[in-house]
Amino acid sequence: MREIKISETEAGQRLTKLLEKYMEAAPKSFFYKMLRKKNITLNDKKAEGNERLAPGDSVKLYLSEETLLKFQRVEADGEKVPVKAVKKEKTDLQVLYENKHILVINKPAGMLSQKARPEDVSLIEHITEYLLDEGELTKEQLTYFRPGICNRLDRNTSGIIVAGKTLEGLQKMGELFRERTMDKYYYCVVKGQVEKKQRIEGWLTKNHSHNKVTISQKKTEGAEYIKTEYEPLKWDEDFTLLKVKLITGRSHQIRAHLESIGHPIVGDGKYGDIYVNKYFKKTYQLKHQLLHAGELHMPELLGTFEELSGRVFLAPLPDYFEEIIKGEF
């Protein structure tokens, strides 16, 4: 939060005029939105913007530093230029859909869904920065609520993640994922030729010390039941592009399940084929598994979330994925 104390010099002008001088690059619509949401206040009260300022007035800006720096200008070489934020480089979020309660995001490969260590920067931190920048969240609000994600993807898996902007959004979307009432589809390229659609089952056991899972056809102690469906879209004698429906959602399920039937995912350093991975790294500079969460089908919903009822969210394939498809099929 920044506070501007009005002196005799600034007194007499309208509040919006002061804001326009303070953040020259911001559109007027931004100020009115922030005033309406009380992210900008006058004497700790909601303001309209047309108030005449008096000496001693207090204007408080509940905006992130990055937002302020983005809209401010400084004199350099005879002209006004943007102030550069002295913060970590921020990844722009690819927002597929947004309403009052949720965000649907296309996560890039290489980004953590959530922190593994305190020093990590994950998707959650990027979401928080995004909401602060957009004025959808204030630092004051962060003291009693933090946005969160409702599903997770492995670090090197790209695609759709749903985030809750409100407690109600977090709870409802979390419930839908837990109850598996949403249909989730992934795209991947696997070793070998697959020519027909199939549904496979098995039992998954996780080795927590190695963060790896094994698949068996018989139930063993601690094993979880899994079910995966896949459909070939393109293939040749060496590789196949699959569309996979995740029926149960276990850790590393798609990667390990496909490997267990002889079709490991291209680029997968944990469950993949070392020689296949070398070829794709040399040819396409691929450094991670070629797995993308591309579709999310919402169930029928009523009430607060009725506008989401039956909606289908699509996350476009990353450019490198498209390049490999064109190069191999």
Side-chain angles (χ1 to χ4, degrees):
M1 187 273 290
R2 286 193 191 179
E3 182 179 13
I4 305 170
K5 280 287 188 181
I6 304 303
S7 67
E8 291 286 349
T9 305
E10 294 92 25
Q13 63 184 314
R14 294 191 311 275
L15 173 57
T16 50
K17 185 61 67 175
L18 174 80
L19 295 172
E20 288 169 14
K21 293 176 181 177
Y22 196 74
M23 293 180 280
E24 292 181 64
K28 287 185 179 181
S29 59
F30 174 79
F31 299 130
Y32 289 113
K33 181 179 180 181
M34 296 302 99
L35 288 165
R36 188 172 67 251
K37 292 177 172 289
K38 293 183 69 174
N39 289 345
I40 298 176
T41 62
L42 175 61
N43 298 324
D44 295 319
K45 296 179 181 178
K46 186 176 182 179
E48 298 295 329
N50 58 0
E51 294 86 353
R52 293 284 175 177
L53 298 173
D57 280 348
S58 169
V59 178
K60 291 181 179 178
L61 310 173
Y62 295 95
L63 305 171
S64 72
E65 284 299 304
E66 287 193 1
T67 298
L68 290 166
L69 291 170
K70 178 174 69 174
F71 288 140
Q72 289 181 313
R73 294 290 184 264
V74 295
E75 194 81 29
D77 297 326
E79 63 181 47
K80 292 281 189 176
V81 298
V83 179
K84 300 298 182 183
V86 190
K87 292 186 74 173
K88 64 181 182 294
E89 185 176 343
K90 193 176 73 138
T91 301
D92 290 330
L93 292 179
Q94 185 178 359
V95 178
L96 303 173
Y97 173 84
E98 180 176 5
N99 66 15
K100 178 182 177 181
H101 295 287
I102 72 166
L103 282 168
V104 181
I105 297 158
N106 188 9
K107 182 188 85 70
M111 182 185 289
L112 286 167
S113 294
Q114 60 186 32
K115 287 187 176 190
R117 300 169 298 177
E119 63 269 24
D120 289 335
V121 177
S122 71
L123 179 60
I124 294 175
E125 281 66 56
H126 289 295
I127 289 168
T128 302
E129 285 297 323
Y130 169 82
L131 294 175
L132 286 168
D133 286 349
E134 293 295 309
E136 297 288 333
L137 186 68
T138 67
K139 289 191 175 181
E140 182 182 24
Q141 289 172 316
L142 286 175
T143 62
Y144 56 86
F145 172 78
R146 286 189 173 271
I149 57 173
C150 308
N151 63 308
R152 288 180 291 175
L153 296 175
D154 294 336
R155 181 175 199 153
N156 289 320
T157 297
S158 58
I160 295 174
I161 284 187
V162 179
K165 294 167 56 176
T166 64
L167 182 59
E168 189 175 3
L170 269 174
Q171 290 176 337
K172 183 61 179 180
M173 293 300 109
E175 174 189 315
L176 295 180
F177 278 105
R178 284 193 306 274
E179 294 180 353
R180 301 175 192 147
T181 54
M182 291 185 280
D183 288 333
K184 296 169 282 186
Y185 295 89
Y186 292 69
Y187 294 88
C188 61
V189 176
V190 299
K191 175 186 175 182
Q193 184 173 331
V194 181
E195 296 185 12
K196 62 180 180 179
K197 183 175 180 179
Q198 193 167 342
R199 180 175 288 195
I200 55 177
E201 303 176 40
W203 296 90
L204 178 149
T205 304
K206 186 167 185 178
N207 184 324
H208 293 277
S209 60
H210 293 88
N211 191 28
K212 193 171 182 178
V213 305
T214 55
I215 308 296
S216 63
Q217 292 305 306
K218 294 182 179 180
K219 184 178 182 180
T220 57
E221 186 178 354
E224 296 177 303
Y225 173 74
I226 58 171
K227 184 184 289 188
T228 310
E229 183 177 281
Y230 58 82
E231 176 185 2
L233 302 179
K234 294 184 179 182
W235 64 86
D236 59 22
E237 60 185 21
D238 297 314
F239 305 107
T240 303
L241 172 65
L242 292 180
K243 181 177 181 179
V244 180
K245 182 178 181 180
L246 192 59
I247 300 172
T248 58
R250 309 299 186 190
S251 179
H252 298 183
Q253 177 178 322
I254 295 175
R255 297 162 63 189
H257 213 177
L258 290 174
E259 186 275 335
S260 73
I261 60 169
H263 298 294
I265 294 176
V266 163
D268 193 336
K270 188 162 286 190
Y271 302 99
D273 182 289
I274 186 171
Y275 298 105
V276 168
N277 292 351
K278 282 183 178 179
Y279 164 75
F280 278 86
K281 184 174 183 179
K282 181 179 179 181
T283 308
Y284 300 100
Q285 291 75 56
L286 184 67
K287 298 179 181 178
H288 51 74
Q289 67 263 15
L290 207 60
L291 180 61
H292 178 73
E295 296 183 25
L296 183 65
H297 297 220
M298 287 283 180
E300 295 300 315
L301 298 168
L302 299 174
T304 303
F305 298 92
E306 187 173 4
E307 68 179 274
L308 296 174
S309 185
R311 291 194 68 147
V312 175
F313 296 109
L314 304 175
L317 292 172
D319 291 342
Y320 60 82
F321 205 131
E322 294 278 15
E323 180 188 357
I324 289 172
I325 291 173
K326 290 177 182 177
E328 295 297 324
F329 301 105

